């Protein structure tokens, strides 16, 4: 089910690339450009932090959904498939966070 919603969202986000900015919130974000999308991610990130600090579980879920959605918009705007992020998470699965971070540091 989760993979299905991701696929459906990616398809909608892709379809909005050519839509009239006045007809779609996402098309409007695309039209405004990357900086506007990144600003929304920053705003949603802050709202997610505030929700978590409040301890309101429903609000945490709501704000996290907004944050993830806007990250998906950014990925689509950059012509990156969201499955690449899932692939990266899968690659990291079972790897110690300390070891994974050390490997990234060595590759710099």
């Amino acid at each position: 089910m989760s993979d299905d919603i991701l696929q459906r969202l990616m398809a909608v986000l892709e379809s909005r690339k050519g839509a009239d900015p006045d007809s779609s919130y996402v098309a409007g974000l695309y039209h405004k450009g990357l900086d506007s999308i990144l600003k929304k991610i920053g705003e949603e990130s802050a709202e997610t932090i505030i929700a978590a600090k409040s301890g309101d579980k429903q609000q945490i879920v709501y704000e996290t959904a907004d944050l993830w959605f806007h990250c998906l918009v950014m990925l689509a705007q950059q012509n990156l498939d969201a499955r690449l992020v899932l692939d990266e998470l899968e690659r990291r699965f079972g790897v110690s966070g300390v070891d994974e971070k050390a490997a990234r540091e060595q590759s710099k």
Side-chain angles (χ1 to χ4, degrees), residues 1 7 10 14 28 31 41 61 66 68 72 74-75 88:
M1 182 174 162
Q7 297 299 324
M10 289 185 334
E14 192 63 32
H31 180 74
I41 291 172
V61 170
D66 280 352
W68 288 7
L72 290 172
M74 182 261 313
L75 289 170
E88 177 61 16

Side-chain angles (χ1 to χ4, degrees), residues 8-29:
R8 290 174 26 216
L9 273 170
M10 289 185 334
V12 168
L13 293 176
E14 192 63 32
S15 74
R16 295 299 192 266
K17 285 184 176 180
D20 179 356
D22 294 329
S23 70
S24 160
Y25 171 74
V26 172
L29 282 175

